[in-house]
Amino acid sequence: MAGDSHSAERSVERTLGHLRTLDSPSTQIPALPLTLEDLYRQQRMRMVRLAILLVDDPATAEDVVQEAFTGLYRNWSGLRDAKAAIGYLRTAVVNGSRSVLRRRKTAREYQPPHQTDARSAESLAMLTAEHQAVVAALGQLPRRQREVLVLRYYGDLSEAEIAEATGVSRGTVKSTASRGLGALQKLMGN
């Protein structure tokens, strides 16, 4: 099982690392004071991709990110620096995505379930069959497991940063990642 878990981890890391590379060839934050407009230009697409990986719907992801930037605008004067602003955005995107998923769950209880593939043709075209299988399997994981794996392997965040963004302890992040990789391995049939 340990070998299987490592195989799932390598697949997730390759897929989400590939997406991370496509989205932001340079993740360096300039030392100069950034404006909100600078952050929007530099971080918007990265935050949209993060939201898409969490909610699996591009239009909804755009809405989540717009709400996050609106909140950032309202709280701009209280932030220390650009890194704090990016952390604020990341947390707002995770929380906004959670809200969307809660609303979806409630809506599904009143409507017959149906499967739609909300990923854009462009994003799927950039992925190999293995990467597509990983992204599809991620969409089947429980919310918290998906969040932790996406933030770890796509967001390239440390356990401490994931804990801050999701509001759970570092130990919970570590155990959730382990359970998520195991579940992903089963879903992918490896």
Side-chain angles (χ1 to χ4, degrees), residues 79-97:
L79 295 172
R80 297 180 308 277
D81 56 27
K83 285 191 179 194
I86 293 170
Y88 177 96
L89 282 172
R90 191 173 28 245
T91 299
V93 167
V94 168
N95 289 337
S97 297

Side-chain angles (χ1 to χ4, degrees), residues 27 33 44 61 69 85 97 121 125 127 152-153:
T27 58
R44 180 182 158 276
F69 272 101
S97 297
L127 299 177
R152 169 66 187 100
Y153 296 104

Side-chain angles (χ1 to χ4, degrees), residues 15-185:
T15 297
L16 297 182
H18 174 72
L19 288 172
R20 182 178 60 242
T21 301
L22 289 174
D23 285 344
S24 65
S26 171
T27 58
Q28 294 295 328
I29 300 169
L32 301 172
L34 294 176
T35 65
L36 184 60
E37 183 180 348
D38 293 335
L39 278 173
Y40 185 81
R41 239 188 343 269
Q42 293 172 9
Q43 296 294 319
R44 180 182 158 276
M45 287 311 299
R46 185 169 176 76
M47 294 298 160
V48 167
R49 177 73 75 177
L50 173 62
I52 288 171
L53 289 168
L54 295 174
V55 301
D56 199 25
D57 177 50
T60 303
E62 288 274 353
D63 291 343
V64 166
V65 171
Q66 282 303 115
E67 287 297 317
F69 272 101
T70 300
L72 179 62
Y73 173 75
R74 285 192 299 264
N75 294 297
W76 186 252
S77 63
L79 295 172
R80 297 180 308 277
D81 56 27
K83 285 191 179 194
I86 293 170
Y88 177 96
L89 282 172
R90 191 173 28 245
T91 299
V93 167
V94 168
N95 289 337
S97 297
R98 286 177 177 169
S99 293
V100 164
L101 295 174
R102 275 192 303 273
R103 286 191 302 271
R104 273 190 200 160
K105 182 178 181 215
T106 301
R108 270 196 305 269
E109 291 173 2
Y110 298 106
Q111 297 175 359
H114 55 52
Q115 285 285 53
T116 59
D117 187 3
R119 291 182 189 89
S120 70
E122 300 91 26
S123 69
L124 285 178
M126 293 188 299
L127 299 177
T128 65
E130 178 190 4
H131 292 328
Q132 289 177 20
V134 170
V135 172
L138 274 170
Q140 296 176 47
L141 292 178
R143 175 189 55 84
R144 183 175 285 171
Q145 289 177 5
R146 182 175 52 243
E147 286 174 0
V148 167
L149 292 179
V150 167
L151 290 171
R152 169 66 187 100
Y153 296 104
Y154 173 73
D156 199 25
L157 302 182
S158 68
E159 287 175 3
E161 291 169 319
I162 295 168
E164 181 182 335
T166 59
V168 299
S169 71
R170 287 176 71 175
T172 299
V173 168
K174 193 171 188 169
S175 64
T176 301
S178 178
R179 283 192 311 276
L181 289 171
L184 198 63
Q185 185 69 34

